[in-house]
Amino acid sequence: MNIRELKSVANAIVARQKGVLAADESSPTIKKRFDSIKIESTEENRRRYREILFTTEGIERYIGGIILFDETLRQRTRDGTLFAKLLSSRGIAPGIKVDKGAKALALYPGDKVAEGLDGLRERLAEYKQLGAKFAKWRAVIEINEHDIPSAFGIRANAHALARYAALCQEIDLVPIVEPEVLMDGTHDIDRCEVVTSRVLEAVFAELDAHRVVFDGMLLKPNMVIPGMKCPQQAGVQQVAEATLRCLRRYVPAAVPGIVFLSGGQSAEDATDHLNAMNAMGPQPWQVSFSYGRALQAPVLAAWKGQESNVAAAQKALLKRCQLNGLARDGKYARAMEAGE
């Protein structure tokens, strides 16, 4: 394990004003996104859409890493350059999603666990050869007001995340560890904080047991936020305070950065929450973003599958990247959404 290399890549991804673009949608997910703009999810359309994202001028100022799907890591630009090579040449670290999706945890109704550990060592070696500098594994934590997730469900996901992270570091890939407590449901912000706390406590205990070097990884957690169907929604400052309180209790200061998932929040809400946390002053780790929908939704809406709209789509992406870059410094304001 080359600890110096791992630390260098992890720190570069969350350098000042920078974060991660999550462009690792699975085939069913990207089909849903394309359905929303009424274009067919063919391999060429997927390739072209990702090419539009990756060739947007100026995003390297705000994007330190991009997470790719297996298909995307193997694809090329129109002029034949591998996407991973293109990104690296722009100073953006290419990454790869390696879990194979969440499935029901046997005998634990309501709990899920991500699959994909079998053969992972060999897959990681191939991905590294294809140019990946980091990887990502998402654990999906279902939540209700009472008994889900179970203690064992949390433990099973924490164990899988730690095994994945250790395999990544063994081959000098930075692991992004993503335990996502879902925003679905009617639970309130207090319930989310309790569950997120239990999850983070279990995850870092397992990472430590597996000898994962905290300096050479990144954490991609949910924000502490009420369920979307909760009648009592929380204000921006309340979310920021609850999230940081939770993270400061359980995330070691050695971790270089926390790259939040947006988890179904609107683009504006995700940026607002990130900004509020950074406005509260320096934290032990970089407080950053790893957004999918919250960066891409405006791009898809502008593109609509039309070549004539590429410039508008790229402008929309650059704007969201710039706004999140400002939020990294606590200098974003909602009024900026209206500006050009």
Side-chain angles (χ1 to χ4, degrees):
M1 187 195 329
N2 185 337
I3 295 175
R4 184 178 293 176
E5 183 185 338
L6 290 169
K7 287 168 73 171
S8 171
V9 172
N11 280 291
I13 291 171
V14 291
R16 185 163 180 260
Q17 290 198 327
K18 289 189 179 183
V20 177
L21 167 60
D24 59 331
E25 299 86 2
S26 64
S27 300
T29 302
I30 196 75
K31 182 182 183 302
K32 279 185 209 164
R33 306 273 164 88
F34 280 6
D35 285 348
S36 72
I37 57 169
K38 297 182 171 56
I39 70 161
E40 195 181 351
S41 182
T42 62
E43 183 180 354
E44 172 52 25
N45 283 343
R46 293 190 295 270
R47 188 207 65 78
R48 180 59 184 145
Y49 173 59
R50 264 66 181 253
E51 183 177 27
I52 290 166
L53 297 175
F54 304 161
T55 57
T56 300
E57 281 187 38
I59 60 165
E60 65 275 8
R61 176 69 190 80
Y62 309 101
I63 299 296
I66 298 182
I67 312 168
L68 311 179
F69 190 58
D70 180 278
E71 174 187 78
T72 320
L73 185 62
R74 302 170 194 280
Q75 288 176 329
R76 298 172 183 267
T77 62
R78 282 177 169 175
D79 66 8
T81 307
L82 275 168
F83 282 152
K85 190 174 179 183
L86 167 76
L87 295 175
S88 291
S89 73
R90 300 184 66 189
I92 300 172
I96 179 72
K97 167 192 166 75
V98 296
D99 67 86
K100 293 195 170 179
K103 303 288 168 65
L105 181 61
L107 307 184
Y108 279 83
D111 282 317
K112 290 183 175 175
V113 69
E115 297 185 343
L117 287 169
D118 288 351
L120 181 57
R121 180 179 268 125
E122 293 72 27
R123 285 196 292 133
L124 289 172
E126 184 192 9
Y127 291 144
K128 189 171 172 73
Q129 240 181 347
L130 287 167
K133 299 282 180 65
F134 70 95
K136 189 207 78 167
W137 180 288
R138 175 178 179 242
V140 176
I141 313 292
E142 298 268 1
I143 176 175
N144 67 11
E145 293 101 319
H146 309 294
D147 56 346
I148 295 171
S150 67
F152 181 74
I154 291 172
R155 200 160 84 235
N157 278 291
H159 184 79
L161 280 166
R163 282 187 60 194
Y164 139 80
L167 286 166
C168 285
Q169 289 193 340
E170 177 185 67
I171 199 170
D172 298 328
L173 288 173
V174 170
I176 291 187
V177 172
E178 181 180 4
E180 179 180 3
V181 177
L182 295 180
M183 269 179 71
D184 307 336
T186 57
H187 59 277
D188 63 17
I189 192 169
D190 293 336
R191 172 68 177 156
C192 182
E193 186 171 354
V194 166
V195 172
T196 303
S197 296
R198 288 176 187 163
V199 169
L200 291 175
E201 185 177 26
V203 165
F204 279 98
E206 285 288 350
L207 289 168
D208 190 46
H210 282 74
R211 299 181 174 174
V212 171
V213 178
F214 295 153
D215 312 56
M217 62 162 278
L218 296 169
L219 178 70
K220 181 173 178 174
N222 54 283
M223 296 180 192
V224 174
I225 205 162
M228 285 188 281
K229 295 175 186 167
C230 177
Q232 190 66 43
Q233 288 298 310
V236 171
Q237 194 59 31
Q238 189 183 1
V239 169
E241 288 172 4
T243 303
L244 287 177
R245 182 168 60 237
C246 185
L247 294 170
R248 288 182 74 102
R249 282 192 193 123
Y250 299 105
V251 182
V255 175
I258 290 170
V259 290
F260 286 105
L261 56 91
S262 49
Q265 299 177 62
S266 71
E268 297 81 3
D269 285 349
T271 307
D272 224 349
H273 289 136
L274 178 67
N275 182 75
M277 283 183 253
N278 279 300
M280 288 169 70
Q283 303 299 328
W285 357 257
Q286 293 295 312
V287 176
S288 188
F289 59 91
S290 177
Y291 293 162
R293 257 179 300 186
L295 285 173
Q296 291 186 52
V299 185
L300 281 165
W303 179 47
K304 299 187 182 74
Q306 304 296 317
E307 281 300 309
S308 57
N309 293 334
V310 167
Q314 292 185 325
K315 185 179 178 183
L317 176 60
L318 181 59
K319 180 179 177 178
R320 284 255 60 86
C321 292
Q322 287 170 329
L323 293 175
N324 282 290
L326 288 168
R328 288 275 279 113
D329 281 343
K331 293 178 179 173
Y332 162 83
R334 281 268 181 158
M336 295 173 180
E337 295 289 345
E340 283 300 312

